[in-house]
PDB file of all heavy atoms in Angstrom:
ATOM      1  N   ALA H1319      46.105  -5.956  31.791  1.00 98.00           N
ATOM      2  CA  ALA H1319      45.311  -5.658  32.992  1.00 98.00           C
ATOM      3  C   ALA H1319      44.874  -4.243  32.941  1.00 98.00           C
ATOM      4  O   ALA H1319      43.689  -3.892  33.161  1.00 98.00           O
ATOM      5  CB  ALA H1319      46.251  -5.898  34.250  1.00 98.00           C
ATOM      6  N   ASN H1320      45.715  -3.283  32.568  1.00 98.00           N
ATOM      7  CA  ASN H1320      45.385  -1.910  32.500  1.00 98.00           C
ATOM      8  C   ASN H1320      44.471  -1.556  31.308  1.00 98.00           C
ATOM      9  O   ASN H1320      43.608  -0.770  31.330  1.00 98.00           O
ATOM     10  CB  ASN H1320      46.573  -0.957  32.574  1.00 98.00           C
ATOM     11  CG  ASN H1320      46.994  -0.664  34.000  1.00 98.00           C
ATOM     12  OD1 ASN H1320      46.379  -1.070  34.871  1.00 98.00           O
ATOM     13  ND2 ASN H1320      48.074   0.071  34.138  1.00 98.00           N
ATOM     14  N   ALA H1321      44.681  -2.372  30.190  1.00 98.00           N
ATOM     15  CA  ALA H1321      43.864  -2.178  29.018  1.00 98.00           C
ATOM     16  C   ALA H1321      42.395  -2.553  29.442  1.00 98.00           C
ATOM     17  O   ALA H1321      41.535  -1.835  29.033  1.00 98.00           O
ATOM     18  CB  ALA H1321      44.336  -3.042  27.884  1.00 98.00           C
ATOM     19  N   PHE H1322      42.346  -3.713  30.090  1.00 99.00           N
ATOM     20  CA  PHE H1322      40.928  -4.152  30.573  1.00 99.00           C
ATOM     21  C   PHE H1322      40.322  -3.163  31.496  1.00 99.00           C
ATOM     22  O   PHE H1322      39.147  -2.761  31.397  1.00 99.00           O
ATOM     23  CB  PHE H1322      41.038  -5.563  31.130  1.00 99.00           C
ATOM     24  CG  PHE H1322      39.856  -6.267  31.416  1.00 99.00           C
ATOM     25  CD1 PHE H1322      38.603  -5.803  31.011  1.00 99.00           C
ATOM     26  CD2 PHE H1322      39.786  -7.482  32.046  1.00 99.00           C
ATOM     27  CE1 PHE H1322      37.396  -6.448  31.227  1.00 99.00           C
ATOM     28  CE2 PHE H1322      38.618  -8.117  32.349  1.00 99.00           C
ATOM     29  CZ  PHE H1322      37.414  -7.659  31.922  1.00 99.00           C
ATOM     30  N   ARG H1323      41.141  -2.632  32.453  1.00 98.00           N
ATOM     31  CA  ARG H1323      40.583  -1.677  33.425  1.00 98.00           C
ATOM     32  C   ARG H1323      40.064  -0.454  32.716  1.00 98.00           C
ATOM     33  O   ARG H1323      39.070   0.038  32.981  1.00 98.00           O
ATOM     34  CB  ARG H1323      41.704  -1.255  34.388  1.00 98.00           C
ATOM     35  CG  ARG H1323      41.998  -2.143  35.501  1.00 98.00           C
ATOM     36  CD  ARG H1323      42.796  -1.463  36.541  1.00 98.00           C
ATOM     37  NE  ARG H1323      43.282  -2.319  37.652  1.00 98.00           N
ATOM     38  CZ  ARG H1323      44.485  -2.817  37.756  1.00 98.00           C
ATOM     39  NH1 ARG H1323      45.389  -2.583  36.788  1.00 98.00           N
ATOM     40  NH2 ARG H1323      44.752  -3.627  38.663  1.00 98.00           N
ATOM     41  N   ALA H1324      40.800   0.052  31.708  1.00 99.00           N
ATOM     42  CA  ALA H1324      40.386   1.197  30.963  1.00 99.00           C
ATOM     43  C   ALA H1324      39.062   1.032  30.337  1.00 99.00           C
ATOM     44  O   ALA H1324      38.161   1.900  30.412  1.00 99.00           O
ATOM     45  CB  ALA H1324      41.432   1.587  29.881  1.00 99.00           C
ATOM     46  N   ARG H1325      38.818  -0.163  29.756  1.00 98.00           N
ATOM     47  CA  ARG H1325      37.503  -0.443  29.084  1.00 98.00           C
ATOM     48  C   ARG H1325      36.352  -0.554  30.204  1.00 98.00           C
ATOM     49  O   ARG H1325      35.295  -0.070  29.948  1.00 98.00           O
ATOM     50  CB  ARG H1325      37.604  -1.734  28.231  1.00 98.00           C
ATOM     51  CG  ARG H1325      36.293  -1.943  27.456  1.00 98.00           C
ATOM     52  CD  ARG H1325      36.299  -3.262  26.602  1.00 98.00           C
ATOM     53  NE  ARG H1325      37.382  -3.200  25.609  1.00 98.00           N
ATOM     54  CZ  ARG H1325      37.728  -4.244  24.859  1.00 98.00           C
ATOM     55  NH1 ARG H1325      37.051  -5.434  24.996  1.00 98.00           N
ATOM     56  NH2 ARG H1325      38.621  -4.196  23.916  1.00 98.00           N
ATOM     57  N   VAL H1326      36.726  -1.210  31.307  1.00 99.00           N
ATOM     58  CA  VAL H1326      35.681  -1.378  32.354  1.00 99.00           C
ATOM     59  C   VAL H1326      35.254  -0.041  32.830  1.00 99.00           C
ATOM     60  O   VAL H1326      34.090   0.326  32.997  1.00 99.00           O
ATOM     61  CB  VAL H1326      36.231  -2.257  33.532  1.00 99.00           C
ATOM     62  CG1 VAL H1326      35.275  -2.223  34.671  1.00 99.00           C
ATOM     63  CG2 VAL H1326      36.493  -3.691  32.981  1.00 99.00           C
ATOM     64  N   TYR H1327      36.223   0.847  33.137  1.00 99.00           N
ATOM     65  CA  TYR H1327      35.930   2.165  33.660  1.00 99.00           C
ATOM     66  C   TYR H1327      35.200   3.028  32.586  1.00 99.00           C
ATOM     67  O   TYR H1327      34.283   3.843  32.943  1.00 99.00           O
ATOM     68  CB  TYR H1327      37.155   2.801  34.201  1.00 99.00           C
ATOM     69  CG  TYR H1327      37.631   2.321  35.510  1.00 99.00           C
ATOM     70  CD1 TYR H1327      38.793   1.722  35.658  1.00 99.00           C
ATOM     71  CD2 TYR H1327      36.799   2.430  36.646  1.00 99.00           C
ATOM     72  CE1 TYR H1327      39.287   1.309  36.995  1.00 99.00           C
ATOM     73  CE2 TYR H1327      37.197   1.940  37.919  1.00 99.00           C
ATOM     74  CZ  TYR H1327      38.435   1.383  38.008  1.00 99.00           C
ATOM     75  OH  TYR H1327      38.809   0.828  39.260  1.00 99.00           O
ATOM     76  N   LEU H1328      35.488   2.897  31.355  1.00 98.00           N
ATOM     77  CA  LEU H1328      34.803   3.615  30.303  1.00 98.00           C
ATOM     78  C   LEU H1328      33.315   3.190  30.312  1.00 98.00           C
ATOM     79  O   LEU H1328      32.387   4.035  30.322  1.00 98.00           O
ATOM     80  CB  LEU H1328      35.414   3.242  28.914  1.00 98.00           C
ATOM     81  CG  LEU H1328      34.654   3.882  27.765  1.00 98.00           C
ATOM     82  CD1 LEU H1328      35.000   5.359  27.701  1.00 98.00           C
ATOM     83  CD2 LEU H1328      35.148   3.211  26.428  1.00 98.00           C
ATOM     84  N   TYR H1329      33.087   1.812  30.392  1.00 98.00           N
ATOM     85  CA  TYR H1329      31.687   1.341  30.395  1.00 98.00           C
ATOM     86  C   TYR H1329      30.982   1.832  31.716  1.00 98.00           C
ATOM     87  O   TYR H1329      29.796   1.877  31.635  1.00 98.00           O
ATOM     88  CB  TYR H1329      31.658  -0.144  30.293  1.00 98.00           C
ATOM     89  CG  TYR H1329      31.881  -0.687  28.857  1.00 98.00           C
ATOM     90  CD1 TYR H1329      32.770  -0.072  28.006  1.00 98.00           C
ATOM     91  CD2 TYR H1329      31.202  -1.750  28.412  1.00 98.00           C
ATOM     92  CE1 TYR H1329      32.932  -0.512  26.728  1.00 98.00           C
ATOM     93  CE2 TYR H1329      31.434  -2.279  27.124  1.00 98.00           C
ATOM     94  CZ  TYR H1329      32.220  -1.643  26.268  1.00 98.00           C
ATOM     95  OH  TYR H1329      32.439  -2.176  25.040  1.00 98.00           O
ATOM     96  N   ARG H1330      31.730   2.018  32.712  1.00 98.00           N
ATOM     97  CA  ARG H1330      31.074   2.523  33.961  1.00 98.00           C
ATOM     98  C   ARG H1330      30.844   4.038  33.975  1.00 98.00           C
ATOM     99  O   ARG H1330      30.130   4.522  34.821  1.00 98.00           O
ATOM    100  CB  ARG H1330      31.917   2.201  35.207  1.00 98.00           C
ATOM    101  CG  ARG H1330      31.729   0.808  35.754  1.00 98.00           C
ATOM    102  CD  ARG H1330      32.569   0.553  36.938  1.00 98.00           C
ATOM    103  NE  ARG H1330      32.784   1.586  37.883  1.00 98.00           N
ATOM    104  CZ  ARG H1330      33.055   1.433  39.137  1.00 98.00           C
ATOM    105  NH1 ARG H1330      33.109   0.123  39.679  1.00 98.00           N
ATOM    106  NH2 ARG H1330      33.317   2.410  39.932  1.00 98.00           N
ATOM    107  N   GLY H1331      31.440   4.737  33.022  1.00 98.00           N
ATOM    108  CA  GLY H1331      31.356   6.218  32.996  1.00 98.00           C
ATOM    109  C   GLY H1331      32.250   6.823  34.093  1.00 98.00           C
ATOM    110  O   GLY H1331      31.916   7.873  34.567  1.00 98.00           O
ATOM    111  N   ASP H1332      33.214   6.046  34.560  1.00 98.00           N
ATOM    112  CA  ASP H1332      34.171   6.593  35.552  1.00 98.00           C
ATOM    113  C   ASP H1332      35.313   7.243  34.797  1.00 98.00           C
ATOM    114  O   ASP H1332      36.307   6.557  34.487  1.00 98.00           O
ATOM    115  CB  ASP H1332      34.673   5.411  36.470  1.00 98.00           C
ATOM    116  CG  ASP H1332      35.590   5.847  37.590  1.00 98.00           C
ATOM    117  OD1 ASP H1332      36.204   6.911  37.442  1.00 98.00           O
ATOM    118  OD2 ASP H1332      35.722   5.084  38.508  1.00 98.00           O
ATOM    119  N   TRP H1333      35.080   8.495  34.494  1.00 98.00           N
ATOM    120  CA  TRP H1333      35.974   9.121  33.539  1.00 98.00           C
ATOM    121  C   TRP H1333      37.484   9.350  34.002  1.00 98.00           C
ATOM    122  O   TRP H1333      38.373   9.142  33.202  1.00 98.00           O
ATOM    123  CB  TRP H1333      35.416  10.475  33.107  1.00 98.00           C
ATOM    124  CG  TRP H1333      34.068  10.311  32.592  1.00 98.00           C
ATOM    125  CD1 TRP H1333      32.923  10.921  33.209  1.00 98.00           C
ATOM    126  CD2 TRP H1333      33.531   9.596  31.455  1.00 98.00           C
ATOM    127  NE1 TRP H1333      31.777  10.519  32.456  1.00 98.00           N
ATOM    128  CE2 TRP H1333      32.178   9.722  31.343  1.00 98.00           C
ATOM    129  CE3 TRP H1333      34.271   8.830  30.451  1.00 98.00           C
ATOM    130  CZ2 TRP H1333      31.394   9.156  30.329  1.00 98.00           C
ATOM    131  CZ3 TRP H1333      33.475   8.200  29.484  1.00 98.00           C
ATOM    132  CH2 TRP H1333      32.110   8.420  29.426  1.00 98.00           C
ATOM    133  N   ALA H1334      37.565   9.578  35.273  1.00 98.00           N
ATOM    134  CA  ALA H1334      38.913   9.826  35.792  1.00 98.00           C
ATOM    135  C   ALA H1334      39.757   8.560  35.744  1.00 98.00           C
ATOM    136  O   ALA H1334      40.956   8.524  35.270  1.00 98.00           O
ATOM    137  CB  ALA H1334      38.915  10.306  37.188  1.00 98.00           C
ATOM    138  N   ASN H1335      39.251   7.364  36.056  1.00 98.00           N
ATOM    139  CA  ASN H1335      39.961   6.195  36.067  1.00 98.00           C
ATOM    140  C   ASN H1335      40.175   5.686  34.612  1.00 98.00           C
ATOM    141  O   ASN H1335      41.161   5.205  34.182  1.00 98.00           O
ATOM    142  CB  ASN H1335      39.250   5.086  36.868  1.00 98.00           C
ATOM    143  CG  ASN H1335      39.611   5.148  38.312  1.00 98.00           C
ATOM    144  OD1 ASN H1335      40.805   5.174  38.623  1.00 98.00           O
ATOM    145  ND2 ASN H1335      38.674   5.124  39.176  1.00 98.00           N
ATOM    146  N   ALA H1336      39.108   5.893  33.735  1.00 99.00           N
ATOM    147  CA  ALA H1336      39.195   5.546  32.341  1.00 99.00           C
ATOM    148  C   ALA H1336      40.409   6.287  31.745  1.00 99.00           C
ATOM    149  O   ALA H1336      41.162   5.769  30.958  1.00 99.00           O
ATOM    150  CB  ALA H1336      37.912   5.816  31.653  1.00 99.00           C
ATOM    151  N   TYR H1337      40.446   7.569  31.991  1.00 99.00           N
ATOM    152  CA  TYR H1337      41.517   8.419  31.434  1.00 99.00           C
ATOM    153  C   TYR H1337      42.894   7.915  31.897  1.00 99.00           C
ATOM    154  O   TYR H1337      43.773   7.738  31.167  1.00 99.00           O
ATOM    155  CB  TYR H1337      41.329   9.844  31.862  1.00 99.00           C
ATOM    156  CG  TYR H1337      42.382  10.767  31.287  1.00 99.00           C
ATOM    157  CD1 TYR H1337      42.304  11.218  29.946  1.00 99.00           C
ATOM    158  CD2 TYR H1337      43.381  11.234  32.001  1.00 99.00           C
ATOM    159  CE1 TYR H1337      43.272  11.959  29.418  1.00 99.00           C
ATOM    160  CE2 TYR H1337      44.362  12.041  31.519  1.00 99.00           C
ATOM    161  CZ  TYR H1337      44.377  12.476  30.201  1.00 99.00           C
ATOM    162  OH  TYR H1337      45.336  13.269  29.768  1.00 99.00           O
ATOM    163  N   ASP H1338      43.024   7.663  33.283  1.00 98.00           N
ATOM    164  CA  ASP H1338      44.262   7.325  33.847  1.00 98.00           C
ATOM    165  C   ASP H1338      44.811   6.036  33.231  1.00 98.00           C
ATOM    166  O   ASP H1338      46.043   5.941  32.856  1.00 98.00           O
ATOM    167  CB  ASP H1338      44.243   7.161  35.271  1.00 98.00           C
ATOM    168  CG  ASP H1338      44.114   8.600  35.982  1.00 98.00           C
ATOM    169  OD1 ASP H1338      44.386   9.576  35.320  1.00 98.00           O
ATOM    170  OD2 ASP H1338      43.757   8.561  37.215  1.00 98.00           O
ATOM    171  N   TYR H1339      43.929   5.004  33.100  1.00 98.00           N
ATOM    172  CA  TYR H1339      44.391   3.705  32.602  1.00 98.00           C
ATOM    173  C   TYR H1339      44.585   3.683  31.134  1.00 98.00           C
ATOM    174  O   TYR H1339      45.486   3.061  30.641  1.00 98.00           O
ATOM    175  CB  TYR H1339      43.414   2.625  33.037  1.00 98.00           C
ATOM    176  CG  TYR H1339      43.546   2.284  34.496  1.00 98.00           C
ATOM    177  CD1 TYR H1339      42.574   2.597  35.456  1.00 98.00           C
ATOM    178  CD2 TYR H1339      44.739   1.737  35.042  1.00 98.00           C
ATOM    179  CE1 TYR H1339      42.645   2.297  36.786  1.00 98.00           C
ATOM    180  CE2 TYR H1339      44.836   1.445  36.413  1.00 98.00           C
ATOM    181  CZ  TYR H1339      43.841   1.788  37.276  1.00 98.00           C
ATOM    182  OH  TYR H1339      43.951   1.562  38.671  1.00 98.00           O
ATOM    183  N   ALA H1340      43.696   4.441  30.428  1.00 99.00           N
ATOM    184  CA  ALA H1340      43.935   4.473  28.902  1.00 99.00           C
ATOM    185  C   ALA H1340      45.215   5.253  28.606  1.00 99.00           C
ATOM    186  O   ALA H1340      46.000   4.781  27.699  1.00 99.00           O
ATOM    187  CB  ALA H1340      42.754   5.219  28.335  1.00 99.00           C
ATOM    188  N   THR H1341      45.525   6.371  29.317  1.00 98.00           N
ATOM    189  CA  THR H1341      46.754   7.024  28.984  1.00 98.00           C
ATOM    190  C   THR H1341      47.971   6.190  29.411  1.00 98.00           C
ATOM    191  O   THR H1341      49.010   6.253  28.719  1.00 98.00           O
ATOM    192  CB  THR H1341      46.825   8.356  29.646  1.00 98.00           C
ATOM    193  OG1 THR H1341      46.562   8.225  31.086  1.00 98.00           O
ATOM    194  CG2 THR H1341      45.740   9.323  29.042  1.00 98.00           C
ATOM    195  N   ASP H1342      47.869   5.340  30.437  1.00 98.00           N
ATOM    196  CA  ASP H1342      48.956   4.485  30.842  1.00 98.00           C
ATOM    197  C   ASP H1342      49.263   3.522  29.676  1.00 98.00           C
ATOM    198  O   ASP H1342      50.391   3.256  29.390  1.00 98.00           O
ATOM    199  CB  ASP H1342      48.622   3.761  32.055  1.00 98.00           C
ATOM    200  CG  ASP H1342      49.643   2.740  32.418  1.00 98.00           C
ATOM    201  OD1 ASP H1342      50.798   3.142  32.910  1.00 98.00           O
ATOM    202  OD2 ASP H1342      49.525   1.552  32.223  1.00 98.00           O
ATOM    203  N   VAL H1343      48.112   2.946  29.155  1.00 98.00           N
ATOM    204  CA  VAL H1343      48.349   1.965  27.990  1.00 98.00           C
ATOM    205  C   VAL H1343      48.995   2.684  26.782  1.00 98.00           C
ATOM    206  O   VAL H1343      49.952   2.172  26.245  1.00 98.00           O
ATOM    207  CB  VAL H1343      46.945   1.410  27.646  1.00 98.00           C
ATOM    208  CG1 VAL H1343      47.152   0.580  26.374  1.00 98.00           C
ATOM    209  CG2 VAL H1343      46.433   0.558  28.718  1.00 98.00           C
ATOM    210  N   VAL H1344      48.489   3.929  26.528  1.00 98.00           N
ATOM    211  CA  VAL H1344      49.118   4.642  25.386  1.00 98.00           C
ATOM    212  C   VAL H1344      50.585   4.968  25.667  1.00 98.00           C
ATOM    213  O   VAL H1344      51.445   4.869  24.735  1.00 98.00           O
ATOM    214  CB  VAL H1344      48.332   5.988  25.124  1.00 98.00           C
ATOM    215  CG1 VAL H1344      49.034   6.844  24.187  1.00 98.00           C
ATOM    216  CG2 VAL H1344      46.908   5.633  24.574  1.00 98.00           C
ATOM    217  N   ASN H1345      50.952   5.335  26.906  1.00 98.00           N
ATOM    218  CA  ASN H1345      52.327   5.665  27.199  1.00 98.00           C
ATOM    219  C   ASN H1345      53.192   4.390  27.132  1.00 98.00           C
ATOM    220  O   ASN H1345      54.290   4.546  26.746  1.00 98.00           O
ATOM    221  CB  ASN H1345      52.382   6.231  28.583  1.00 98.00           C
ATOM    222  CG  ASN H1345      51.801   7.600  28.671  1.00 98.00           C
ATOM    223  OD1 ASN H1345      51.686   8.318  27.674  1.00 98.00           O
ATOM    224  ND2 ASN H1345      51.413   8.069  29.841  1.00 98.00           N
TER     225      ASN H1345
END
Side-chain angles (χ1 to χ4, degrees):
N1320 275 359
F1322 191 7
R1323 281 194 185 102
R1325 189 183 294 175
V1326 171
Y1327 283 119
L1328 178 74
Y1329 281 38
R1330 275 182 36 157
D1332 182 337
W1333 305 117
N1335 276 310
Y1337 180 80
D1338 287 346
Y1339 287 112
T1341 54
D1342 177 76
V1343 173
V1344 169
N1345 290 337

